[in-house]
Amino acid sequence: AHRRAAVRMGLFDALAESMKNDETLGKREGAGLSKEVELKTITWKGPKPDNFWEQQPVSTSQVVPGQKLADVARQSGIPIKYSCMEGHCRVCDVVVDGRRVPACVARCQKKDVTIEYFGSVAPTKAPRKQPPPLPPPPPPPQQQQ
């Protein structure tokens, strides 16, 4: 019978040995967490399409309460435009359960929420009412002779 020699890799064999699971440590538990983290669901609703045949984009994300909303949106592929990243410019505004907030500074809530976003175009404010046109000037007074 032909005997095959085991290939030894020196340093790599030692690394492999050091990375083996140690069965004497017991059951694996959460690292430093006192209780299990409860994930919440964000339902993302995109802009309503102009075309009747297109559908409004809707997707969901599982989040940990307190996560930055901008990070979750980026990881989920939600196209939100940002500018100042401080909440002042309002370019990144989204509507969270009916309340408008800047996505760049907002955090995920401790409940399931629906977020409406406006795509890569910033939401526009309601158009200002134009003042009524001025009435024509009165005719010049006629001089009496």
Side-chain angles (χ1 to χ4, degrees), residues 2-55:
H2 189 277
R3 192 168 180 185
R4 195 173 200 171
V7 177
R8 303 294 297 165
M9 302 283 294
L11 173 66
F12 295 106
D13 291 328
L15 282 174
E17 184 66 30
S18 70
M19 299 295 176
K20 281 185 180 175
N21 290 333
D22 187 355
E23 300 300 326
T24 63
L25 295 176
K27 182 183 171 200
R28 181 178 161 255
E29 295 179 9
L33 300 175
S34 59
K35 62 180 184 176
E36 189 71 26
V37 175
E38 189 173 330
L39 296 177
K40 299 299 175 187
T41 301
I42 292 180
T43 302
W44 299 95
K45 288 189 174 185
K48 293 183 178 153
D50 295 332
N51 185 340
F52 174 75
W53 303 106
E54 293 179 19
Q55 292 184 353

Side-chain angles (χ1 to χ4, degrees), residues 125-134:
K125 293 182 178 177
R128 272 177 138 178
K129 281 190 174 180
Q130 294 294 325
L134 295 172

Side-chain angles (χ1 to χ4, degrees), residues 40-44 59-80 82 103 106-109 113 115:
K40 299 299 175 187
T41 301
I42 292 180
T43 302
W44 299 95
S59 62
T60 59
S61 302
Q62 295 293 311
V63 299
V64 175
Q67 269 184 288
K68 286 185 173 181
L69 199 55
D71 293 342
V72 173
R74 193 174 300 113
Q75 291 169 356
S76 301
I78 304 300
I80 297 175
Y82 299 95
R107 301 246 176 205
C108 296
Q109 298 183 4
V113 294
I115 298 178

